Amino acid sequence: MKGADAALYNPRTVEEVFRDFKGRRAGMIKALTSDVEKFFQMCDPEKENLSLYGYPSEQWEVNLPAEEVPPELPEPALGINFARDGMQEKDWLSLVAVHSDAWLVSVAFYFGARFGFDKADRKRLFNMINELPTIFEVVTGTAKKQVKEKSSSNHGSNKSKSNSKARGSESQGRHSEVVQPKDEDEGLDEEEEDEREETCGACGGGGPSSLDEPWIFCDFCETWFHMKCVKITPARAKQIKQYKCPSCNNKRARPD
């Protein structure tokens, strides 16, 4: 089947290579999800080196590696069966998924090199591939999580924007606020990107809307600071009724 696959199908355009990529990807996803019991049984550690192949027809196969050297196409990771019983099934499937992703990209760019894709074609091919979740993301459920978090982030963007403005205008004379990090997987939509104009008053780094680390607000100069830049811990910040930054502390009292 491997030889026939290579002999009968040689995609020559970006669109054809991408279609080839999608077919192989769909077959391998079947092996690692809906057909996982069959795939598991076929990967007997007592057998010789085995590899997982995906085909443009959206089918998959577990087989020995190609005998010819060099092979017609790049070969997938071999010996996937040897690790089957040495780790938890979900971890083993995730490992096979990672190697499957690497193989798909290598096959796609093999075709690109063979048929002379230029820089623009290679970039277009990669961008088309990159729009799809990886096999690893599908197998581990990460793809669904990212879609859910993106939807949640977009839904709450207007509310988060108004809240960030409130922190700047209503903090005078009240408890200083601690901004905690968000999940790294959450993306920023266009409105959130607009809010990133605020910067740390000490180091000039991205403002609290980036939410990549704890921040604290000075109630006197109304400026945000990284806690690490002003040497304040989150625990200490919660005990402060009104925070005065080092710069304000060093200023002399000014007349009313």
Side-chain angles (χ1 to χ4, degrees), residues 80-154:
I80 58 172
N81 51 313
F82 296 147
R84 190 195 73 177
D85 296 340
M87 53 200 309
Q88 292 188 7
E89 181 177 338
K90 66 175 183 178
D91 295 330
W92 175 67
L93 293 174
S94 297
L95 180 63
V96 176
V98 168
H99 285 289
S100 299
D101 283 317
W103 179 66
L104 287 177
V105 173
S106 69
V107 169
F109 280 82
Y110 165 84
F111 285 129
R114 180 173 178 178
F115 297 113
F117 287 8
D118 60 17
K119 182 178 180 180
D121 284 342
R122 292 194 303 271
K123 182 177 181 180
R124 188 155 65 94
L125 174 59
F126 177 79
N127 287 339
M128 293 168 74
I129 289 173
N130 204 37
E131 286 299 312
L132 296 174
T134 64
I135 297 178
F136 175 81
E137 289 172 335
V138 173
V139 170
T140 60
T142 307
K144 292 182 180 179
K145 180 181 177 183
Q146 288 176 340
V147 171
K148 183 178 180 180
E149 287 181 346
K150 183 176 181 180
S151 175
S152 176
S153 176
N154 290 339

Side-chain angles (χ1 to χ4, degrees), residues 232-246:
I232 294 288
T233 65
R236 171 62 181 148
K238 291 179 181 179
Q239 300 174 358
I240 300 175
K241 293 182 179 180
Q242 280 191 321
Y243 175 67
K244 182 183 285 189
C245 70

